Every structure is written in structure tokens, then in C-alpha cells.
Amino acid sequence: MNIYDVSEKAGVSIATVSRVLNGNSRVSEKTRNKVLKVMNELGYTPNIFARGLGLNTMKTIGIMCTDSSDMYIANAIFYLQRELRNNGYDSMLCCTGNNLSSKQQSLDLLISKRVDGIIIVGSKFLSSNPESDDNRYITAAAENLPIFLVNGHLSGRNIYSVICNDYYAVYSVTSKMIQSGRRDIVYLYTSTSHSGLNKLMGYKDALCANDLEVRPNYMHLCTKNIIRAKEYLSHLHDSGASFDAVITSDDSLAVGAVKFALANHISIPDELSIAGYNNSILAICTEPEITSVDTKLEELCTTAVDKLMKVFAGNDTVAGQTVIPADIVTRDTTSF
Amino acid sequence: MNIYDVSEKAGVSIATVSRVLNGNSRVSEKTRNKVLKVMNELGYTPNIFARGLGLNTMKTIGIMCTDSSDMYIANAIFYLQRELRNNGYDSMLCCTGNNLSSKQQSLDLLISKRVDGIIIVGSKFLSSNPESDDNRYITAAAENLPIFLVNGHLSGRNIYSVICNDYYAVYSVTSKMIQSGRRDIVYLYTSTSHSGLNKLMGYKDALCANDLEVRPNYMHLCTKNIIRAKEYLSHLHDSGASFDAVITSDDSLAVGAVKFALANHISIPDELSIAGYNNSILAICTEPEITSVDTKLEELCTTAVDKLMKVFAGNDTVAGQTVIPADIVTRDTTSF
DNA sequence: TTGTATGCGTTATCAA
DNA sequence: TTGATAACGCATACAA
């Protein structure tokens, strides 16, 4: 079933069929209808390979991430996919894990599939070491197709980032904690990515701005895991360190903090204030519900796709980086 | 950059380059190395369209779901994608929402992209009405390519289902509740899909088997939402109905039940036992943590991909339906 | 072991 | 407005 079958049955040439297929106006109404009727009768579908061979585009965007089962990333994929579809593009998903060589392989694979562009989701995808060459393969790929980063930053030609203002978000939360009377504030974080380090810096700077001491054991790098967060706080508590607030870089850690407080009969928020990050469903699972930072993921995603479409349209004034401010959603684990 | 460039630079014919590309053994070691070297130097990547044009396969599987931001589905996508990759296949994701015509459109789109097979995730994708023609478009598509259902069932040629034994899982949980002394058991559920109705039936049958009354207001269809579950239980409680157990078809509803109990100073599990479903992270967010049914999602997904590969290999003895038993993960909201 | 020639289904260029 | 034909890049049957 191909264009020849249609042309034969309709009594026209393949060129005419092709014109009908592509909405070319240089076809008489009568001929067009005749061809459309035949296409319908035959249930004809154009062959995407043959088309791609000529046009060298598949109207498909590759989406890469380390782990699509992560709630934040899963939501991003949903939004991206929806926006791309609205713009006539499909998406091809690659979950790479955290191994550098498998990230490279996935990128090569998407390129070999001739995707028209690539969207990378999550700051953990990139190596945060600016000295290393670990992101070189991405800048190299950007020579041939545009690359977009959602919640990640990398500079370079044909690379576009859309990020949330993580530094300012954590700075604000920390400041609010201090303003509401907290002085011994623990910060639990999950990642040393660009975004992760920005958040940490926000915490430190807010302490400094208020003349509070930055204590190493009050900043803890922790796997993204409820139990681990609870364990570390228990450990800190048992070791005699006192703290009246916990700020986290992810809601799961904040859930751990709530569980720690409940297990030790520490009242929330009077004796211990807790703030989460990402404003996920986890923030409303606990009792009390958790104050959390809304990172505007949907807006990040729609902005990324918008920029992508502009780049495809040949607009060469698309900003390399877009920063979107976060919101703080106040609930019952804080007294501000 | 194509096969001709490589052949010219390597001083061989395009046929030889193609043979090297496809691992054909009828090439001398010397020639092979020469060609590989040139391919490397030129950074040559074969054009997938040209290849697909001849072979009419893209080594790509379409994955369809209603909503990839649903935690259950997000996990399924992760597992499926990983298994497909392990077998040399890529995946193309389509989130359709719940609208029938957009489901049909997405299916058409995947077919027009010449995917080699389609995996549909989630029982909500299918219409559960066996009388309606709403699933006809799927059986029609199955005439041309194999269709796999993960946690969904549809019978027909070239359609394969992998499902969890939901009926028996809920039957077991309900029986255990009864054995541990509960008599007034509420069942909250989110869906009237095939899987959803099976679960409901499991609940009813377990009650009947123990000579307990099936009361309509003790079975409630509820959106997948923490607050809604809490509200319904409050309503039931306020209306004077007494209950000593809540079984749910999703962890989110069980979280709502925990919140209801905490808000009303009802002790868990003594005064109220609670069971969730899907054994998601939500089950361990609350205090106490929730007993939940592990639906073996990873096993469902690997089994589906296994079956897919067997079908592609021409194995015509692949079972149309595979049923995998669930596990009950006992935690602190039940006394069994 | 290697090379030549053809077909895959479409789009686009040129001619009519 | 329509038709004939080249081009896209690869795999493969057949020839050498």
C-alpha cells in the first residue's frame, strides 16, 4: 500500500497524490477530492521512513532523564509530552541511569534516530563539575541539533536552559525560618548537582546574612529516602546537637523529618519547623502537612517547549537561559 | 555523510560498508578494520530512515497510557523502557488522557510512525464496558501489529495481557481483616475498570464467604485523592455509621483514611485497620505506615517485554494472558 | 571476499 | 494544474 497504488486507483500521477498529502494548493478541488476518497477507501497511511528519508526530519523530540520513575521527572515528562504533542511533535523517551557512558550511548541513539531536538530533564543528568569534560558530549551534540535543559544548566551554542530560581527559593525559606525565630537550622540535601549546590548556597548565604554560624554537621548530603533522613536527624539528636528547624531539598526528606519528630514526641512546628521542596504529593501525606517550595515544573516545561518551537522557527534571539521564580506553599510544619 | 562517503574514503564498495555495519561475517578482518576506522574518523551514523525504508521496522515500541504522571504508570514506563532497551528496542511515549478519540488518534499516530508493537499501560486505558465498541479500534490495530496490555485485559488475536491477580489480592486482604476480628469494613475504590471491578468483587466475595452483609454505603467510588477519601470517611462517621476497617484500591485513599483517623483521634490499628494498594511510597509516608498490596509491577513489565520478544521471534505459543499473584506487605495499620 | 545494480516510498524539480 | 523523473541512504540478491 503506497502512493503508487493510490495514484493508479485515482487515475492521477504520484506527484499529485503527494501534493494532496501535503496540502499543496496547486491541485484542483475535483482532483483533490478524488484522491482523498481513494486514500480513505484504501486506508492509506504515508510511510514515515520514505518521508523522513527525503526531509530528514521525523517531527520527534528526544527526552532524556536519569530516572523517569522519580516523581518530579515523571511529571516533567508528562508536561513536555503534552506540550510537544500540541505543537505537532512526538517524543521518544530515554532513561539513562546515572552512568556517564550510558548517557552518551542514549544521546547517540537518539541522534541516530534522527530526532529534531533533545530535551534533558533534571539537574542530575549533568556533571556539576565545571572542570571536567563530562558534559563535553552534550556540547558536541549541540553542534548538530538544539538541546534543551529543564532544571539544568549548561552554557554553549545551541544549548538552552530553563531553570527555577533554586538559590533564591532556599534563601527565602531559610530567611523566613530565621524571621520566625529559628536559629538552629538543619539543611538536608540529596544532590550536588548545579541546582543542588545553588540551594545549599541559598541556605548558607541566608545564615550569613543573619549572622548565624554555618555548621558542617547541620548540612547533610543524604540519599533521596525517607528513612535516611529520619535516621540522620535521630543521629544528630542523639549526639546532643539541638535544632529547631529542618529545611530539605526534597519532600521525601521532609517526610523523614516529620517522622523523626513524631517518633520523638517533638511538636511541629513549635519545637521543630520543617520545610520540603518540590511541593509534591508527599507534602500532603503527612500529619501535619508540609510547607514546601513549588518549583513551577509545568511552567518550566511549557517554557522549554516554547523556546524549542521558536528555535525551530528560525528565531535566533531565543535566550540561552530562562529563570523562573519559585513559590513557597505554606502549610502546617512552619510557623510563618 | 552517508555510506557512499565511507565507501569512497575506505576504497571499498557500499555493499562492503553495509556488511560491516550489519555485522555480516563475509568481510575480511582487514577490510572490516579499514572500514570501521573510516567510519570512526568521519563520525558516521547510519540513517535510520533509509534503513527503515527497506526493512520497514524501526526497532521501536509505542507505549500508551492515560497519564504518565500517575506514580504507578510512571514506574511502569521506567521498567518497560529499561527492558526494551535491554532487548535493543526504543520506546515512544504517548499520554492520551481519558478521551476516547484522543486515544484513537494516538494509536493512529504510533502506527503511522511504524512502531513494531504497542504496549498499553493501565486498566483505565480500556473501556470496561464489554458491550460497547469502545475498544474496537484496538482490536482492529492488532491485525497489523502485536498489542500488549500491562494491567489491563482485552481478548483478541495478537493481543496479549499481563495482569496482576487483583481479585484475589483484595479477597485476601478482606479475609485477613475479617480473621483479625473486623466486621464493619469500608471499601474505597477509584475506578470501575476491569481491574477496579475485579477488586470490588474480591471485597464483596470475601464478605459473603464470611456471612457478612454487603452494604452499599460501605463501598464508595472516589477520585484518586487523599482529601476526598478523608472527606467521605468523615461523612460516613458523622452520619453515625460505624466501621473498624478501611480497604482501598489505591494508597492515596489509604493515606486519606489515616488522616481521617488521626483527625478524629481514632487509634490505628486497634479501632481502625487500614489497607492500601500498590505499595507505593505513599504507604510509608504516614505514621503509622500503611499495609499495602504489592502488585508486582516490575514483574508485570518484564513479563510483558519477554512476551513481546517471543512474539517478534515468531513464537506462536505465547499465552494471551498471564496472571501474576500479588503480595501483601504488612505494616502498622493492620493487626494481622 | 567483494562489487554492481535494484528497490524501498516519498518529496521536489523541472517540463508540459 | 498535472506528470515524469531524480534524489534521499541503505540492504540485499546476484554476479564476479
Side-chain angles (χ1 to χ4, degrees):
Chain A
M1 166 73 61
N2 57 30
I3 204 169
Y4 287 92
D5 299 327
V6 177
S7 78
E8 191 175 340
K9 188 151 184 193
V12 298
S13 73
I14 61 160
T16 301
V17 177
S18 179
R19 286 187 191 103
V20 172
L21 220 47
N22 294 285
N24 189 311
S25 59
R26 281 184 245 291
V27 183
S28 74
E29 197 58 27
K30 195 175 147 196
T31 314
R32 176 184 308 282
N33 289 333
K34 189 168 57 179
V35 172
L36 285 174
K37 184 156 165 263
V38 171
M39 292 206 289
N40 238 319
E41 283 171 17
L42 264 54
Y44 166 75
T45 320
N47 183 310
I48 196 87
F49 299 126
R51 173 174 279 169
L53 188 55
L55 302 180
N56 206 38
T57 167
M58 179 109 166
K59 296 274 264 179
T60 300
I61 305 298
I63 298 179
M64 297 177 74
C65 63
T66 53
D67 174 9
S68 67
S69 67
D70 177 282
M71 284 168 60
Y72 179 87
I73 295 178
N75 279 300
I77 291 170
F78 177 76
Y79 295 133
L80 288 171
Q81 194 263 178
R82 185 192 62 192
E83 289 305 306
L84 289 170
R85 174 71 32 86
N86 287 343
N87 286 278
Y89 281 78
D90 297 303
S91 50
M92 182 166 265
L93 180 64
C94 271
C95 309
T96 62
N98 248 320
N99 180 284
L100 179 60
S101 77
S102 73
K103 287 176 184 172
Q104 288 176 322
Q105 269 177 35
S106 293
L107 185 63
D108 287 346
L109 188 128
L110 286 174
I111 290 172
S112 77
K113 294 270 177 178
R114 294 295 198 273
V115 295
D116 302 301
I118 288 178
I119 300 179
I120 294 175
V121 182
S123 62
K124 277 171 71 180
F125 197 95
L126 302 172
S127 164
S128 56
N129 182 353
E131 307 298 323
S132 82
D133 285 350
D134 288 357
N135 295 325
R136 179 69 54 84
Y137 72 106
I138 297 177
T139 37
E143 290 175 15
N144 299 309
L145 81 180
I147 295 192
F148 290 77
L149 303 171
V150 172
N151 189 25
H153 177 71
L154 190 65
S155 53
R157 204 191 63 76
N158 219 13
I159 300 180
Y160 305 86
S161 310
V162 184
I163 56 180
C164 179
N165 198 335
D166 293 312
Y167 169 84
Y168 188 69
V170 175
Y171 186 95
S172 299
V173 170
T174 310
S175 300
K176 280 172 184 271
M177 286 286 193
I178 296 168
Q179 281 155 29
S180 68
R182 312 290 154 165
R183 316 224 8 119
D184 303 305
I185 305 173
V186 173
Y187 182 66
L188 300 181
Y189 60 109
T190 53
S191 157
T192 56
S193 65
H194 178 77
S195 150
L197 294 176
N198 272 342
K199 292 181 199 171
L200 181 59
M201 188 106 61
Y203 163 77
K204 287 184 188 170
D205 286 359
L207 291 188
C208 291
N210 289 274
D211 295 323
L212 292 172
E213 190 188 352
V214 175
R215 287 165 288 191
N217 62 330
Y218 277 51
M219 300 175 292
H220 182 65
L221 178 61
C222 181
T223 51
K224 199 181 223 166
N225 181 301
I226 295 172
I227 306 301
R228 292 285 165 282
K230 182 181 171 186
E231 281 173 356
Y232 182 75
L233 293 175
S234 299
H235 160 76
L236 203 62
H237 184 249
D238 294 345
S239 74
S242 76
F243 48 93
D244 52 16
V246 178
I247 296 173
T248 66
S249 74
D250 188 82
D251 283 335
S252 57
L253 304 183
V255 170
V258 169
K259 281 174 169 278
F260 156 78
L262 293 176
N264 292 277
H265 309 291
I266 296 169
S267 77
I268 305 171
D270 293 342
E271 295 176 84
L272 186 67
S273 278
I274 299 168
Y277 209 96
N278 284 339
N279 193 30
S280 67
I281 190 173
L282 301 188
I284 57 166
C285 279
T286 57
E287 203 65 53
E289 299 185 353
I290 302 170
T291 293
S292 187
V293 173
D294 180 346
T295 47
K296 303 290 191 60
L297 182 57
E298 185 168 5
E299 194 176 340
L300 258 61
C301 292
T302 55
T303 304
V305 174
D306 276 358
K307 291 174 76 163
L308 180 66
M309 292 306 143
K310 281 184 184 145
V311 169
F312 284 159
N315 186 330
D316 53 4
T317 64
V318 179
Q321 181 173 329
T322 307
V323 179
I324 292 175
D327 267 356
I328 299 173
V329 179
T330 307
R331 296 204 182 85
D332 307 326
T333 55
T334 52
S335 42
F336 52 79
Chain B
M1 164 74 61
N2 57 31
I3 204 169
Y4 290 92
D5 298 328
V6 177
S7 78
E8 190 176 341
K9 188 151 184 192
V12 297
S13 75
I14 62 159
T16 301
V17 176
S18 178
R19 287 187 191 103
V20 171
L21 220 47
N22 293 286
N24 189 314
S25 58
R26 282 182 245 290
V27 183
S28 75
E29 197 59 26
K30 197 175 147 196
T31 313
R32 175 185 310 280
N33 289 333
K34 190 168 57 181
V35 172
L36 285 173
K37 184 156 165 262
V38 171
M39 292 205 290
N40 238 319
E41 282 171 17
L42 264 54
Y44 166 76
T45 320
N47 183 309
I48 196 87
F49 299 128
R51 173 176 279 169
L53 188 55
L55 302 180
N56 206 37
T57 169
M58 180 105 167
K59 295 275 261 180
T60 301
I61 305 298
I63 298 179
M64 299 177 74
C65 62
T66 53
D67 173 9
S68 67
S69 66
D70 177 282
M71 285 169 61
Y72 179 87
I73 295 177
N75 279 300
I77 291 170
F78 177 76
Y79 295 132
L80 288 171
Q81 194 262 178
R82 184 190 65 192
E83 290 304 307
L84 289 170
R85 175 72 31 86
N86 288 343
N87 286 279
Y89 280 78
D90 298 304
S91 50
M92 182 165 266
L93 180 64
C94 272
C95 309
T96 62
N98 248 321
N99 181 282
L100 180 60
S101 76
S102 73
K103 287 176 186 174
Q104 287 176 321
Q105 269 178 35
S106 294
L107 185 64
D108 287 345
L109 188 128
L110 286 174
I111 290 172
S112 78
K113 294 271 178 179
R114 295 294 199 272
V115 295
D116 302 302
I118 288 178
I119 300 178
I120 294 175
V121 182
S123 63
K124 276 170 72 181
F125 197 96
L126 301 173
S127 164
S128 57
N129 183 353
E131 306 300 320
S132 83
D133 284 350
D134 288 358
N135 296 323
R136 180 69 55 82
Y137 72 106
I138 296 177
T139 37
E143 290 175 13
N144 298 309
L145 81 179
I147 295 192
F148 291 76
L149 303 172
V150 171
N151 190 27
H153 177 70
L154 189 64
S155 52
R157 206 191 60 77
N158 219 14
I159 300 179
Y160 305 86
S161 310
V162 185
I163 56 180
C164 178
N165 198 334
D166 292 312
Y167 169 85
Y168 189 70
V170 175
Y171 186 95
S172 298
V173 170
T174 310
S175 300
K176 280 172 184 272
M177 287 286 193
I178 297 168
Q179 280 155 31
S180 68
R182 312 290 154 165
R183 318 228 1 123
D184 303 305
I185 306 174
V186 172
Y187 182 67
L188 300 180
Y189 59 109
T190 54
S191 157
T192 55
S193 65
H194 179 76
S195 151
L197 294 177
N198 271 341
K199 292 180 198 170
L200 181 60
M201 187 108 59
Y203 162 77
K204 287 183 190 172
D205 285 359
L207 290 188
C208 291
N210 289 272
D211 295 324
L212 291 172
E213 192 189 350
V214 175
R215 286 167 288 191
N217 62 328
Y218 277 51
M219 301 176 292
H220 183 64
L221 177 61
C222 180
T223 52
K224 199 181 221 167
N225 180 300
I226 295 172
I227 306 302
R228 290 287 165 282
K230 182 181 172 187
E231 281 173 355
Y232 183 74
L233 293 175
S234 299
H235 160 75
L236 203 61
H237 184 249
D238 295 345
S239 74
S242 76
F243 47 93
D244 52 15
V246 178
I247 296 175
T248 66
S249 75
D250 188 82
D251 283 336
S252 57
L253 303 184
V255 170
V258 169
K259 282 176 168 279
F260 157 77
L262 293 176
N264 292 276
H265 308 291
I266 296 169
S267 78
I268 305 172
D270 293 342
E271 295 175 83
L272 186 67
S273 278
I274 299 167
Y277 209 95
N278 284 340
N279 194 30
S280 68
I281 190 173
L282 301 187
I284 58 168
C285 278
T286 57
E287 202 67 52
E289 299 184 353
I290 302 169
T291 293
S292 187
V293 173
D294 180 345
T295 48
K296 302 291 192 59
L297 182 56
E298 184 168 6
E299 194 176 339
L300 257 60
C301 292
T302 54
T303 304
V305 174
D306 276 358
K307 290 174 77 162
L308 180 66
M309 293 306 144
K310 281 184 183 147
V311 170
F312 284 159
N315 186 330
D316 53 4
T317 64
V318 179
Q321 180 173 331
T322 308
V323 179
I324 292 176
D327 267 356
I328 298 173
V329 179
T330 307
R331 296 202 181 86
D332 307 326
T333 54
T334 51
S335 43
F336 52 77

